[in-house]
Amino acid sequence: MLYQRATNASVIDVIDRRTGLRFKCRRGADTMLAETFHALIYNIPLAPIRNGDIIFDVGANHGFFSCWAAQQGAIVHAFEPDPNTFDRLVENIRLNGLEGSIRPHQYAISSETGDSHLFCSSTLGGGLSTIVPAFAVKSGMEVMSQAKVKTLSLTDALEYCQVDRVRVCKLDCEGAEFSILADLNSTIVNRFDSFVLEYHPQAYSLSAFMDILLNWEGYHISKVVSQDRDLENANLSVVRSELLREWSRSGSVERRHANGQLNGTHKEVPTHQR
């Protein structure tokens, strides 16, 4: 990787040795692999991915999380609107032989179904591209171009994918998470076992965003904490409290604490809980 960077390669080849998953990604995007495979910021101990689970990957980028979840037996719906990044997503699915487990969709998830403009950035290999103008301005990202993209609301995405229930919905969509979640009614929220999301206060009031989550009935909120501060993002996990109770009754909490599996991934923090 160092050699590829030193030679200014536009496409970086990277492999995670533990899982054997391989990726071709735009220059800069390779740094995000560590978030998924080593910092484990999308791993929710209270809602582990099981064989046959349905996963939504909103802001799939090059497919790091999608491939990681699919390798655990999940069926993944990967949403990525950036035309250049979407091609890499499809290539990486094929490279890892996961065509039967990952459905790529060239859509941005938004508050409503229709069309939008994507502000495209080369930073992190397109990882900062956004449909939210406020984020594009306040984050200081360098906008290289704009692209007209198709959008789906999360409600319509469930119907489009013909999915009744989602185990984990990962949201890394550079500021769009506020309007996406604010649009959901309680019936739709309850079709998701858990969310793991990155929040972006450059685009909205963090207090207003937390009010949305805290008004959901029966969900538990925790903050993702990594032992490596360089890999720690502004991530939250939101999990149905029923899963927390089931996990406690089964003794999983005690076993995982004994094994040290909670250390360095998620730390439960005092929150308002309904």
Side-chain angles (χ1 to χ4, degrees), residues 26-254:
R26 298 164 63 190
R27 181 178 174 82
D30 55 293
T31 60
M32 292 186 288
L33 178 139
E35 297 175 348
T36 297
F37 292 94
H38 302 287
L40 301 174
I41 64 174
Y42 302 125
N43 180 35
I44 306 177
L46 301 180
I49 296 173
R50 306 159 304 183
N51 189 53
D53 278 340
I54 303 297
I55 307 296
F56 272 14
D57 186 358
V58 178
N61 197 257
H62 288 70
F64 301 125
F65 174 71
S66 289
C67 291
W68 178 77
Q71 194 183 61
Q72 298 178 69
I75 301 298
V76 183
H77 290 274
F79 300 90
E80 175 52 52
D82 189 314
N84 294 319
T85 306
F86 183 80
D87 290 343
R88 294 295 175 193
L89 168 64
V90 173
E91 181 181 17
N92 288 328
I93 294 170
R94 185 171 54 250
L95 182 65
N96 289 292
L98 295 170
E99 297 96 327
S101 300
I102 305 175
R103 281 68 158 163
H105 307 292
Q106 196 171 354
Y107 283 93
I109 300 299
S110 181
S111 59
E112 57 186 20
T113 298
D115 299 293
S116 186
H117 283 89
L118 182 73
F119 298 91
C120 301
S121 171
S122 61
T123 304
L124 295 177
L128 288 186
S129 297
T130 181
I131 60 172
V132 182
F135 179 81
V137 172
K138 293 183 180 180
S139 67
M141 61 175 277
E142 184 179 0
V143 178
M144 306 300 295
S145 62
Q146 293 188 39
K148 187 176 181 180
V149 297
K150 296 290 186 181
T151 65
L152 283 173
S153 69
L154 202 54
T155 300
D156 287 343
L158 289 168
E159 305 311 314
Y160 172 76
C161 298
Q162 299 183 329
V163 167
D164 292 324
R165 180 150 219 91
V166 175
R167 179 65 169 180
V168 177
C169 179
K170 169 238 174 184
L171 293 168
D172 189 358
C173 39
E174 310 311 311
E177 61 278 355
F178 183 94
S179 60
I180 291 171
L181 299 182
D183 181 61
L184 301 183
N185 61 44
S186 59
T187 300
I188 297 299
V189 170
N190 288 330
R191 291 170 68 177
F192 292 86
D193 283 347
S194 61
F195 296 83
V196 61
L197 55 96
E198 184 173 339
Y199 57 88
H200 301 86
Q202 304 95 326
Y204 47 77
S205 161
L206 182 56
S207 175
F209 183 62
M210 290 301 299
D211 284 343
I212 294 171
L213 303 181
L214 293 172
N215 281 327
W216 289 355
E217 293 286 346
Y219 279 80
H220 174 83
I221 301 172
S222 60
K223 186 181 185 298
V224 180
V225 178
S226 171
Q227 290 179 341
D228 188 339
R229 295 293 176 176
D230 290 337
L231 298 177
E232 185 174 314
N233 283 10
N235 277 71
L236 298 174
S237 64
V238 186
V239 183
R240 283 195 303 122
S241 299
E242 179 183 339
L243 297 183
L244 175 60
R245 290 192 292 270
E246 290 175 358
W247 209 51
S248 298
R249 286 195 298 268
S250 69
S252 298
V253 171
E254 289 79 9

